[in-house]
Amino acid sequence: MMLNSLQSHQREKHPSMQDAGRKTIAYFQSEFPDLTGRDIVALMGAHTMGQPHIHISQIPYQWTSKGGRMFNNDCYRNIVGEDRWFFNCEPHGQCEKIGNAFGEKPKAQWLAHTRMTSVNGGPVFWIHRQHVCPACSLEEGLEGNPLHLQPWEKDCCHNKPEGTYCRPDRESPDMEDDNLNLGCEQMRFM
């Protein structure tokens, strides 16, 4: 195989996408010993932009929700798992902050997931979900878009108590939702 002037003659060594923080740090220390912790954090922040190529990594999603359009600290917020706002950026240019029915930051959840893209069923990767309402305030702008609100979501947006974003699945914000996957407030992949 002939290499062009932009190709390396050495075999690339990558960190495993399955490794946790300690192994990622160990990889950087062994492969790039002159980098400081601050340098490594800056490099990891590059995950905020762009997305993996599925034919190379078998990862079929962006590192952050709608991350290809914004440069921010979303990747780090994902890593630490804190509750945070979901920003729906569809239709283009109309980013909207979405929370739960009571206008609070939604609860976050991480799940192991696979799309069965390899012969052994992997890779297994983590997906981030948040307990949010439908994008009620974007209903009109989403019409005709593949992400348009479904009839049940529109019902959640229109038949709600005054002062709420959508119809709550619980009586007050202090109560727990007894089914996080059904109702107006649902765990949604972000």
Side-chain angles (χ1 to χ4, degrees), residues 5-6 36 51 116 133 145 156 186:
S5 64
L6 299 177
T36 66
Q51 67 186 54
M116 308 295 282
C133 286
N145 184 308
C156 291
Q186 292 186 15

Side-chain angles (χ1 to χ4, degrees), residues 69-70 87-97 138:
R69 298 187 192 162
M70 297 181 280
F87 287 90
N88 186 332
C89 291
E90 298 294 340
H92 298 294
Q94 294 183 8
C95 290
E96 183 71 27
K97 180 171 72 173
L138 297 175

Side-chain angles (χ1 to χ4, degrees), residues 76-139:
Y76 297 111
R77 290 173 180 246
N78 274 342
I79 290 169
V80 299
E82 72 178 28
D83 293 339
R84 61 192 181 84
W85 296 106
F86 168 63
F87 287 90
N88 186 332
C89 291
E90 298 294 340
H92 298 294
Q94 294 183 8
C95 290
E96 183 71 27
K97 180 171 72 173
I98 298 176
N100 66 24
F102 298 100
E104 301 169 323
K105 285 183 184 178
K107 296 291 178 199
Q109 179 185 66
W110 286 95
L111 295 175
H113 182 74
T114 182
R115 295 254 177 108
M116 308 295 282
T117 57
S118 70
V119 293
N120 66 359
V124 175
F125 50 89
W126 292 97
I127 61 171
H128 187 230
R129 300 189 327 160
Q130 290 176 288
H131 192 239
V132 296
C133 286
C136 297
S137 58
L138 297 175
E139 179 182 349

Side-chain angles (χ1 to χ4, degrees), residues 141-182:
L142 290 171
E143 281 304 317
N145 184 308
L147 300 174
H148 70 276
L149 297 186
Q150 299 299 313
W152 69 268
E153 292 175 304
K154 291 177 183 180
D155 182 61
C156 291
C157 295
H158 295 287
N159 298 313
K160 62 181 179 129
E162 190 169 328
T164 60
Y165 186 78
C166 72
R167 187 171 57 247
D169 295 333
R170 54 218 157 101
E171 292 180 28
S172 75
D174 301 331
M175 296 177 70
E176 291 292 323
D177 188 341
D178 60 353
N179 190 335
L180 298 177
N181 297 309
L182 291 175

